[in-house]
Amino acid sequence: MSVTIRNIKVICCAPEKINLVTVKVETSEPGLYGLGCATFAHRHLAVVTAIEKYLTPYLIGRDVSYIEDIWQSVTGMSYWRNGPVLNNAISGVDMALWDIKGKMAGMPLYELFGGKCREAVPCYTHAEGADVEETLERVGQLKEKGYRYIRAQTGGYGGSETIHMPPEGALPGDYYDPKVYMKKTIRLFERLREKFGWELELCHDVHERLQPADAVGFAKEMERFKLFFLEDALSPEQAGWFKQIRRHCTTPLAMGELFNNPNEWLNLIKEREIDYIRIHLSQIGGITPVKKVIALCDAFGIRTAWHGPVDLTPVGHAVNAHLDISSPNFGIQEWTDSESGFYCDKNPEALHEIFRGIPKVKDGYIYLNGKPGIGVDINEEAAKKYPCTEGGITWGWMLPRLADGTSVRP
């Protein structure tokens, strides 16, 4: 007798003042359920509506073993597809179905994916400061904790300084000057190599704050620091410029956390114009499509470096790690450390009160707990104590402006 979907619940909470969305798929088998991450923190209510009003009526009664068919069906049934709201909604269901399959098999996900390629997952975390010296201090603190891969930033994405004052009447926003940002970042990495030598693998996130021609020159300037990778040097809309960066320097390139649609990554992989794929798993629809991306990247020598931000549930972080530990072309995993100086309001006690089985980090490695399925569970009553911000959330860096007041994309 087949096991079917009996009910789908959407559990929203914000233990760290960041809206998280978890999907719980309950089955016809008593006590058997799966969890998935559907977090789109800035538009979480749109995702909730998509799940409750559109996916759930179709999915009730479906056999939980038909994961591929369910993914293909719900992706196509709205006709228009590959957007962040629908993809995150689908991801929540997709991850939950994989969680159920692992529990039914009595295996952690990585066993279903072919078994371990490594015993733990090397990760990088963020060091950020208001100025160069504060960032250096942060890097030193993280090094003492055992991290050997560190992403370094000063003054936020794109920096926070401008040479020229905005014009009178300029609108509010996160003002920055690309020229100042590039000079300050180069100075930061000069100091990092002076202080720490070559023992650390260093990354930097441009976060799309440069025009294409400037991005080419900046990647060339950063070549001498031998980065582990330079992240998001260009926006998805300007991805065609990656070939120009390739022609001018050997700086390793990472890209992809904003991708929604396969057409955004196919050419970059096929033409070998990036070194690391940085997809946000729920943003493209969950485990089912990501397994195909891994296989495609492996064929072209591209390594994985999944997006692992604060606006991702522990379920999503665990899924990242299951894929990492079982992928031959794994590169590195992003992880937000509580002492990174990053932009979130860390409240690990609340997070652990809600989610049980969160992956552990020790000496720069992520360890999974080996439990069947994803290995993370949720306390629904505890989640109610930390409600989401109904209007969504907007961080200052998401409203960037050039010195003259021009609005640009984050």
Side-chain angles (χ1 to χ4, degrees), residues 81-82 236 239 259-269:
R81 51 195 178 269
N82 294 321
F259 288 165
N260 298 289
N261 187 314
N263 289 312
E264 293 176 295
W265 61 76
L266 285 175
N267 280 342
L268 291 176
I269 294 169

Side-chain angles (χ1 to χ4, degrees), residues 37 71 75 81-92 259-261 281-286:
C37 182
W71 192 92
T75 296
R81 51 195 178 269
N82 294 321
V85 173
L86 181 60
N87 282 357
N88 273 283
I90 292 170
S91 167
F259 288 165
N260 298 289
N261 187 314
L281 267 61
S282 65
Q283 188 78 356
I284 73 162

Side-chain angles (χ1 to χ4, degrees), residues 140-172:
Q141 292 169 353
L142 293 169
K143 178 177 177 291
E144 289 301 310
K145 293 184 68 173
Y147 289 101
R148 291 297 177 268
Y149 299 82
I150 298 174
R151 194 189 81 180
Q153 313 281 141
T154 290
Y157 298 130
S160 55
E161 299 176 24
T162 60
I163 296 175
H164 306 289
M165 292 294 293
E168 293 182 7
L171 296 174

